[in-house]
Amino acid sequence: MTVFGLESNQVMGLAAAVSAVAGAEVDESAAAEIFARAAWTGIAEPGDSVAGALVSSLGAVAALTSLVDSWTIDRVTVECSSSGVDPVAPHDLALAFDRWRPRLVSSSVVMALRQAARVSARLILPADHVWPSAVDDLGVHGPIALWVRGVDAALESLPTSVALVGARAATGYGEHMAMELGAGLSDRGVSVVSGAAYGIDGMVHRSVLASGGLTVAFLAGGVDRFYPSGHDALLGRIATVGAVVSELPCGSPPTKWRFLQRNRLIAASSVATVVVEAGRRSGSLNTAAHAASVGRPLGAVPGPVTSPSSAGCHRLIREFDAVCVTSVDEVIELASGMAGDAQQPELDIGLDAASDRLPPDQVRVLDALSVRSARTTADVARRTGMSMGATEGVLGLLALEGAAIEGEAGWRKQKR
Amino acid sequence: MTVFGLESNQVMGLAAAVSAVAGAEVDESAAAEIFARAAWTGIAEPGDSVAGALVSSLGAVAALTSLVDSWTIDRVTVECSSSGVDPVAPHDLALAFDRWRPRLVSSSVVMALRQAARVSARLILPADHVWPSAVDDLGVHGPIALWVRGVDAALESLPTSVALVGARAATGYGEHMAMELGAGLSDRGVSVVSGAAYGIDGMVHRSVLASGGLTVAFLAGGVDRFYPSGHDALLGRIATVGAVVSELPCGSPPTKWRFLQRNRLIAASSVATVVVEAGRRSGSLNTAAHAASVGRPLGAVPGPVTSPSSAGCHRLIREFDAVCVTSVDEVIELASGMAGDAQQPELDIGLDAASDRLPPDQVRVLDALSVRSARTTADVARRTGMSMGATEGVLGLLALEGAAIEGEAGWRKQKR
């Protein structure tokens, strides 16, 4: 086997170094798969649906071969047609080959693999046991492989994790809420996904680390060079006790486009997404939109209307049906799909509140009694608008409860 | 005609004094109707559905006669059966007669009418042109008549009014929002309904008065004695340029029960209800529940999660489908039934935000350019993951826009 002019043992060595199962034997076909998927993470931009469809149809190795060997579009179409995957239009395939070709540089794949081995990053494939299979909900827009620095436990916790995201320009209120929710989820054993940005994201990760919980950071660039650089130490700690994940190979710089695509991984890999604090045009609203589009429950933390930093959260609640969440319990309710289910009979509210849970007729009789002046039963009946009989019954009940006292001149309310 | 032993001319005099149309002629039958409905406002507690059904079936005058003349339940049932109104169970009728009888005191009706005339309160009947017919949505729980001190314009504005309510225990934030929304609605010609309580309600009325708008206060007791007493001057001003309304006759004290029933009038008489600020057990949540139960749009203003004074609003948004409203425009959207209709394609959000509305391929090319070092088209194509042709096209476009510059060594980004 030769790929990109590399000898089989070279490919196998590189592949073994980044294999998901550290120290495991990697046979030739496994190595080819690892190498091909690693190459694809550098050739196709995140979210490239033609790459996703081609890899699904032909497998990563044959898909790479079709590109390296410059198959005709006709041949690719024929080979794809035997798979069950929806066919890609020849025109789109041609455009895709055109945009992939400039990136078909064997040295960059090799460099990315070597750099990954150097920083102990591993390449997780869809077949691996730690693959977060929820991202497969993205279909052909899903990742072809994931580069990871971290512990298996963090990846394994993703199927029950919650994403907490928010704006870089956070207020003290927003950071307080990020801390509350991050720590609260950790304390309940729920792992927390975020994007490692300044502001809300950073506070989320920090609060989880402080609580000894599991946290996963998805990056928009390679996992070898942490971004933002001010979070280098933070990301280093996450890589030690949690996981730092990216679909881009080592050496890839983050770009605006990649931030937007990274957001879809945050949304898809977790059970629910909560926007903690976000202005009207915060990038975290994009994560929220991804969560909604892959059918994940979406929550937003409200804030003062007078704070522009909460305007995005309010917009999500108003226009995008995000659930208003105000506590850790409510985040967990959201994630377990129970939000809003516990609806009570509507007229209960307020009635309870105002009457301290007393039955309405007792409230009416108590209202009609005075602490100072005694009133006859007839007078109380008139004041309450109840019958004499009903009034007598309720007065007797209130007397038993010690709330009303009967004297010679009539009934009085017990002083409290 | 004699009622309660009063001569016809006495009844007509009293009726004319409180007639909705000041100074108008009141004939004998109109006077009997006014007198009977005035009596019913004192005999039945607000929301008494048996009274509502009986008055609907027999008319107010015959219904009163049935009570005064102590008709048998059988006779009442027979007389009612010819009307189209749903019959009341004989057992419920018997209970109702028992609770009404203690209040059948002619002197109290006469006193209430005299006191109303003294404070220039009028009695508005369902047939009157200023009757707020939206309250008829309450069905048999609706008011039999309304006592009013104020101007016709305020009553006539009710069909397009918005109710703004909230807790007595208001924070500076809540009062600020009450002021903003009250003044904002006034400035747009929308009249505002509230309950004249301390805290949010009071601030709502004040802000409308300050803006020269129309405001209507619904009270839980008679309109002769303003409650709370600390709002005596405020209510006096509302009675002069707006309207103070109650379904209870003059002399009636407010009770907890009546506050809860008063809330249904606030909710039903206006187009939409917005809770401005409310704690978890605020009585204003009861108004919200009434609004929902009569099918009026319900809004709530969010606040800091850390403020218990906003917990009720958040609960309404979470559990009772209240619309999150953050501005006057959004209140008006709510009232016009358009809230939430302007939903956008979901993935727009964030994508726009992060890319400053540039097309995605331009964002990608700009991201791949540097201000300092020139890059070849092939290099840019590789970095963006786009084809050579597409990259050339976008670079040309960016050059035209002055965003990219081509030099001898290649392309650079224009410094901003």
Side-chain angles (χ1 to χ4, degrees):
Chain A
M1 175 182 82
T2 57
V3 184
F4 285 165
L6 292 175
E7 289 308 314
S8 180
N9 63 334
Q10 286 181 288
V11 170
M12 285 174 71
L14 284 166
V18 300
S19 165
V21 187
E25 291 278 317
V26 173
D27 65 20
E28 201 163 302
S29 99
E33 181 76 10
I34 290 173
F35 189 88
R37 286 191 181 260
W40 274 113
T41 65
I43 291 167
E45 274 295 303
D48 184 330
S49 62
V50 181
L54 191 68
V55 167
S56 296
S57 292
L58 303 182
V61 176
L64 186 61
T65 304
S66 76
L67 182 61
V68 173
D69 293 356
S70 296
W71 292 4
T72 62
I73 297 302
D74 280 353
R75 179 171 171 203
V76 175
T77 304
V78 169
E79 299 273 349
C80 285
S81 65
S82 59
S83 76
V85 181
D86 282 343
V88 178
H91 174 73
D92 291 336
L93 262 180
L95 286 176
F97 273 74
D98 278 354
R99 68 173 173 260
W100 297 333
R101 208 159 287 122
R103 286 201 173 162
L104 198 58
V105 182
S106 66
S107 61
S108 68
V109 186
V110 174
M111 271 167 53
L113 283 163
R114 288 208 176 114
Q115 176 65 0
R118 198 170 301 134
V119 299
S120 304
R122 294 170 298 148
L123 188 74
I124 310 292
L125 309 191
D128 291 328
H129 73 286
V130 288
W131 178 258
S133 51
V135 300
D136 298 339
D137 291 354
L138 293 165
V140 292
H141 298 276
I144 292 171
L146 290 171
W147 297 91
V148 176
R149 286 171 74 180
V151 300
D152 281 0
L155 295 174
E156 285 162 357
S157 75
L158 282 173
T160 55
S161 68
V162 169
L164 297 179
V165 296
R168 285 184 295 268
T171 67
Y173 169 70
E175 293 193 340
H176 169 81
M177 291 310 301
M179 181 68 91
E180 283 282 316
L181 298 180
L185 287 172
S186 292
D187 291 348
R188 284 165 176 75
V190 176
S191 78
V192 182
V193 173
S194 196
Y198 290 128
I200 298 298
D201 288 15
M203 192 55 91
V204 164
H205 290 300
R206 279 184 216 284
S207 66
V208 176
L209 291 175
S211 306
L214 290 171
T215 190
V216 178
F218 281 89
L219 300 188
V223 296
D224 56 328
R225 212 173 16 160
F226 291 146
Y227 182 92
S229 57
H231 278 176
D232 198 66
L234 173 62
L235 281 159
R237 276 198 294 149
I238 298 172
T240 310
V241 297
V244 178
V245 185
S246 172
E247 58 187 316
L248 289 145
C250 288
S252 307
T255 61
K256 277 180 188 165
W257 177 260
R258 290 170 183 172
F259 279 113
L260 296 173
Q261 295 302 315
R262 179 274 309 265
N263 292 341
R264 86 195 195 293
L265 294 187
I266 293 178
S269 65
S270 54
V271 175
T273 293
V274 172
V275 180
V276 178
E277 187 182 49
R280 188 155 270 268
R281 292 171 63 76
S282 160
S284 61
L285 301 187
N286 173 253
T287 310
H290 280 300
S293 76
V294 287
R296 304 282 186 268
L298 173 63
V301 178
V305 168
T306 45
S307 162
S309 302
S310 284
C313 288
H314 296 148
R315 198 176 155 209
L316 288 175
I317 294 170
R318 264 182 74 75
E319 297 173 27
F320 296 88
D321 264 341
V323 174
C324 169
V325 294
T326 67
S327 65
V328 175
D329 286 342
E330 291 178 0
V331 172
I332 287 174
E333 232 182 275
L334 180 79
S336 41
M338 301 182 333
D341 279 4
Q343 194 145 340
Q344 296 169 10
E346 310 211 351
L347 274 163
D348 263 22
I349 60 170
L351 202 69
D352 266 16
S355 66
D356 302 323
R357 300 191 181 276
L358 278 180
D361 54 356
Q362 295 192 28
V363 174
R364 284 165 70 165
V365 170
L366 273 179
D367 276 352
L369 292 177
S370 156
V371 172
R372 290 213 194 79
S373 47
R375 283 168 187 166
T376 64
T377 306
D379 187 15
V380 173
R382 203 157 39 238
R383 286 172 183 270
T384 56
M386 291 162 56
S387 70
M388 285 291 284
T391 307
E392 270 164 8
V394 173
L395 280 170
L397 216 71
L398 290 171
L400 280 175
E401 288 165 1
I405 317 156
E406 191 174 17
E408 284 194 10
W411 290 88
R412 283 185 297 112
K413 183 154 55 176
Q414 175 63 54
K415 211 180 284 182
R416 298 258 161 187
Chain B
M1 176 182 80
T2 58
V3 184
F4 284 167
L6 292 176
E7 289 308 314
S8 180
N9 63 335
Q10 286 180 289
V11 170
M12 285 174 71
L14 284 166
V18 300
S19 165
V21 188
E25 291 279 315
V26 173
D27 64 21
E28 201 162 301
S29 98
E33 181 76 11
I34 290 173
F35 190 88
R37 287 192 179 259
W40 275 113
T41 64
I43 292 167
E45 274 295 304
D48 184 330
S49 63
V50 181
L54 191 67
V55 167
S56 295
S57 292
L58 303 182
V61 176
L64 185 61
T65 303
S66 76
L67 181 61
V68 173
D69 293 355
S70 297
W71 290 5
T72 62
I73 298 301
D74 280 352
R75 180 172 170 200
V76 175
T77 304
V78 169
E79 298 274 350
C80 285
S81 65
S82 60
S83 78
V85 182
D86 283 344
V88 178
H91 175 72
D92 291 337
L93 261 180
L95 285 177
F97 273 74
D98 278 355
R99 70 174 172 260
W100 296 334
R101 209 160 285 122
R103 287 200 172 163
L104 197 59
V105 183
S106 66
S107 62
S108 68
V109 187
V110 174
M111 271 166 53
L113 284 163
R114 287 207 178 116
Q115 175 65 2
R118 199 170 299 133
V119 298
S120 303
R122 293 170 299 147
L123 188 73
I124 310 292
L125 309 192
D128 291 328
H129 74 285
V130 288
W131 178 259
S133 50
V135 300
D136 298 338
D137 291 354
L138 293 165
V140 291
H141 298 276
I144 293 172
L146 290 170
W147 297 91
V148 177
R149 286 171 74 180
V151 299
D152 281 1
L155 295 173
E156 285 162 358
S157 75
L158 282 173
T160 55
S161 68
V162 168
L164 297 178
V165 297
R168 284 184 296 267
T171 67
Y173 169 70
E175 293 192 341
H176 169 80
M177 290 311 301
M179 180 68 90
E180 283 282 316
L181 298 180
L185 287 172
S186 292
D187 290 348
R188 284 165 176 75
V190 176
S191 78
V192 182
V193 173
S194 195
Y198 290 129
I200 298 298
D201 287 16
M203 193 55 90
V204 164
H205 290 300
R206 278 185 218 283
S207 67
V208 175
L209 291 176
S211 307
L214 290 171
T215 191
V216 178
F218 281 89
L219 300 188
V223 295
D224 57 328
R225 213 173 16 160
F226 291 146
Y227 182 91
S229 57
H231 278 176
D232 198 66
L234 173 61
L235 281 160
R237 275 197 294 149
I238 297 172
T240 310
V241 297
V244 178
V245 184
S246 172
E247 57 187 318
L248 289 144
C250 288
S252 306
T255 62
K256 278 181 188 165
W257 177 260
R258 290 171 182 171
F259 278 112
L260 296 173
Q261 294 303 315
R262 178 276 309 264
N263 292 341
R264 85 194 196 292
L265 294 187
I266 292 178
S269 66
S270 55
V271 175
T273 292
V274 173
V275 180
V276 179
E277 186 182 48
R280 187 155 270 269
R281 292 171 63 76
S282 160
S284 61
L285 301 187
N286 173 254
T287 310
H290 280 299
S293 75
V294 287
R296 303 283 185 267
L298 173 63
V301 178
V305 168
T306 45
S307 162
S309 303
S310 284
C313 288
H314 296 148
R315 197 176 156 208
L316 288 175
I317 295 170
R318 264 184 74 76
E319 299 173 27
F320 295 88
D321 265 341
V323 173
C324 170
V325 292
T326 66
S327 65
V328 175
D329 286 342
E330 291 178 1
V331 172
I332 287 175
E333 230 180 278
L334 179 79
S336 40
M338 300 181 333
D341 279 4
Q343 194 145 342
Q344 295 170 11
E346 311 211 350
L347 275 164
D348 264 21
I349 60 170
L351 202 68
D352 266 14
S355 66
D356 303 324
R357 302 193 179 274
L358 278 180
D361 54 356
Q362 295 193 29
V363 174
R364 284 165 71 164
V365 171
L366 272 179
D367 276 351
L369 292 177
S370 156
V371 172
R372 291 211 193 79
S373 47
R375 284 168 186 166
T376 64
T377 305
D379 188 14
V380 174
R382 202 158 38 239
R383 287 171 183 270
T384 55
M386 289 162 57
S387 70
M388 286 291 284
T391 307
E392 271 164 8
V394 173
L395 281 170
L397 215 70
L398 290 172
L400 280 176
E401 289 166 1
I405 317 157
E406 190 174 18
E408 284 194 10
W411 290 90
R412 285 187 295 110
K413 183 151 58 176
Q414 175 64 55
K415 210 179 283 179
R416 301 255 162 190

